[in-house]
Amino acid sequence: MTPTNWPDPAREGYPLFSGNNGKHTLIDKNTGHEINAEWNSADDEWLMPDSWLSAKNTAKHFAYLRCDTVELTRAQIAEMLAAERERCAVALDRLKNKESEMYGVGLMTARAEITIRAFASGAEAIRNLGAAP
């Protein structure tokens, strides 16, 4: 999740699987109270207990807590896991690259080489986890 807790940082105000209608729980940023809301995918809006808000306005006032009704298929779960694994592997790749950049040619220590290999090995292991059963 993002710092404001929306599932996709590029689409704040949109729930997980925004193409599906469903019930979700949001958190009011001012009070911290949980709010039950329904996502209306046809209009990209949130139906609140006493009002409705566009996705953009919802992101300003609420944080996302959870999806309460959308049921995921095996394919959707596998897709989510694969995307999460790739994000983890990319993070290790970045660490490996930063570690490599800190040393000039011929200046790398044995400890740095071990660290770089560990990052590369970790990224490869994460990528090789495969699809969810």
Side-chain angles (χ1 to χ4, degrees), residues 45-109:
E45 67 185 7
W46 288 97
L47 306 173
M48 307 289 184
D50 56 1
S51 65
W52 64 269
L53 287 172
S54 68
K56 182 179 179 180
N57 284 330
T58 301
K60 292 178 186 175
H61 303 286
F62 295 90
Y64 188 80
L65 182 61
R66 68 176 171 267
C67 174
D68 296 319
T69 60
V70 175
E71 293 184 18
L72 306 177
T73 65
R74 286 180 184 254
Q76 288 172 316
I77 292 169
E79 181 182 329
M80 286 175 54
L81 290 172
E84 186 64 21
R85 285 193 302 270
E86 184 57 23
R87 282 192 295 275
C88 292
V90 166
L92 286 173
D93 287 340
R94 286 187 188 130
L95 289 170
K96 178 189 77 167
N97 293 338
K98 282 185 179 187
E99 187 75 15
S100 295
E101 290 169 4
M102 289 191 326
Y103 300 92
V105 175
L107 299 177
M108 192 169 302
T109 65

Side-chain angles (χ1 to χ4, degrees), residues 105-121:
V105 175
L107 299 177
M108 192 169 302
T109 65
R111 186 166 196 67
E113 288 177 1
I114 291 169
T115 301
I116 290 167
R117 281 196 305 271
F119 287 145
S121 176

